[in-house]
Amino acid sequence: MTAPVSVPHHVAIVMDGNGRWATRRFLPRVAGHKQGVNALRRCVHACAERGIQVLTVFAFSSENWNRPADEVSGLLELLVLALSREVPQLRADGVQLHFIGERRGLSARLIAGLEQAEGATAGNSRMVLNVCFNYGGRWDIAQAAQALVARGEPVTEANLDRAMALAHVPDPDLVIRTGGEQRISNFLLWQSAYSELFFSDKLWPEFDEAALAEALTAYASRERRFGQTSAQVVREPLAPLQSQIA
Ligand code: IPE
Ligand code: IPE
Ligand code: MG
């Protein structure tokens, strides 16, 4: 499906608010994360239907290891469970899965599961789904710089861009954060340089089609200027930033 120009090519989401969703219902926080997986399934489907080509979601940050041990182990178990439950459908739906983040320190079983899921969906081309797990924007910049140094390449913007964990997709056009907080929390620090930001008060388990539509409507009304003046942008729309520095 070809999307109209006002539909973002790449949407990225900080899926926040699972814990509060559960606590408000007197449920354990992990129950909120389980509902979060259901919300993600719906969101992937809705984005694919709307012609969004790339969806990147923040599932577990470098800093989330500092949560209580039972919540961390619950989240890891949920990831393993979601891999076995969701991958066959994602594969059938034409979704190409990528796990973005530091793998060192994860169990061999989990790494094998991530690689298997990526391999099973590698041939798909309808939509790319990047799941950021054990991810931090600072980690990404540092690992990209280290890779360049190891290869003896100069640390330029274009080289860094190619060494970043999301080098296989263009920068996000729209970054959505649910849960009411208005901060980035170490998500896509490099790639969101010129992304439009949208903050939703909905907790992630409640983020539905209507909430997505609201974010996309807001996006469609924005004027992206990439440093130019409004008059320039109206006359001759600029190519996305990434292609300028490549
Ligand atoms: C986001 O929901 C999911 C993860 C960080 C794993 P939270 O668990 O942060 O939910 P709140 O912010 O405590 O409500
Ligand atoms: C960001 O949410 C990380 C994910 C959604 C995975 P957090 O809940 O960890 O962010 P802070 O701690 O409120 O900034
Ligand atoms: Mg949170």
Side-chain angles (χ1 to χ4, degrees):
M1 180 180 181
T2 324
V5 180
S6 56
V7 172
H9 180 95
H10 181 177
V11 174
I13 308 182
V14 180
M15 307 184 292
D16 196 25
N18 294 348
R20 278 163 286 169
W21 183 91
T23 304
R24 281 176 200 175
R25 288 162 178 77
F26 305 101
L27 295 168
R29 291 176 58 88
V30 166
H33 298 313
K34 282 188 186 147
Q35 282 301 317
V37 175
N38 296 335
L40 177 56
R41 190 187 309 112
R42 291 194 302 266
C43 186
V44 170
H45 183 74
C47 286
E49 287 290 303
R50 286 169 178 272
I52 290 161
Q53 306 284 311
V54 183
L55 176 64
T56 299
V57 295
F58 205 3
F60 190 87
S61 76
S62 313
E63 291 75 31
N64 287 149
W65 294 108
N66 297 322
R67 292 193 175 194
D70 62 335
E71 182 169 349
V72 171
S73 61
L75 279 161
L76 291 172
E77 276 169 37
L78 197 56
L79 175 60
V80 172
L81 192 69
L83 285 172
S84 65
R85 283 201 187 151
E86 310 293 334
V87 170
Q89 193 60 50
L90 291 171
R91 186 180 180 185
D93 289 344
V95 177
Q96 188 186 103
L97 250 182
H98 295 261
F99 289 93
I100 307 300
E102 174 65 278
R103 295 199 186 183
R104 246 175 313 174
L106 301 181
S107 73
R109 179 169 154 255
L110 181 53
I111 294 172
L114 302 182
E115 286 174 356
Q116 216 168 17
E118 288 179 331
T121 60
N124 282 344
S125 57
R126 184 175 179 213
M127 185 171 90
V128 170
L129 173 61
N130 299 307
V131 178
C132 296
F133 187 88
N134 196 18
Y135 171 89
R138 289 179 172 181
W139 163 81
D140 196 7
I141 295 167
Q143 71 76 25
Q146 278 165 11
L148 294 185
V149 169
R151 296 200 292 260
E153 291 177 28
V155 182
T156 62
E157 281 192 34
N159 284 346
L160 269 175
D161 213 51
R162 278 191 284 271
M164 301 290 289
L166 283 180
H168 58 291
V169 291
D171 287 344
D173 301 293
L174 171 64
V175 176
I176 299 171
R177 181 172 183 142
T178 65
E181 313 295 351
Q182 303 197 358
R183 56 177 172 255
I184 288 293
S185 301
N186 204 9
F187 194 43
L188 307 182
L189 298 181
W190 174 270
Q191 298 88 345
S192 62
Y194 272 99
S195 304
E196 295 298 323
L197 306 179
F198 184 86
F199 298 99
S200 167
D201 285 332
K202 286 232 185 249
L203 302 174
W204 175 248
E206 308 169 327
F207 191 81
D208 54 13
E209 274 253 35
L212 176 69
E214 195 190 338
L216 295 175
T217 302
Y219 174 82
S221 73
R222 307 269 178 97
E223 183 184 68
R224 303 185 71 189
R225 292 194 282 275
F226 298 98
Q228 290 193 309
T229 66
S230 183
Q232 284 176 298
V233 172
V234 170
R235 258 198 324 269
E236 39 177 277
L238 193 65
L241 188 70
Q242 192 143 357
S243 59
Q244 291 176 58
I245 61 172

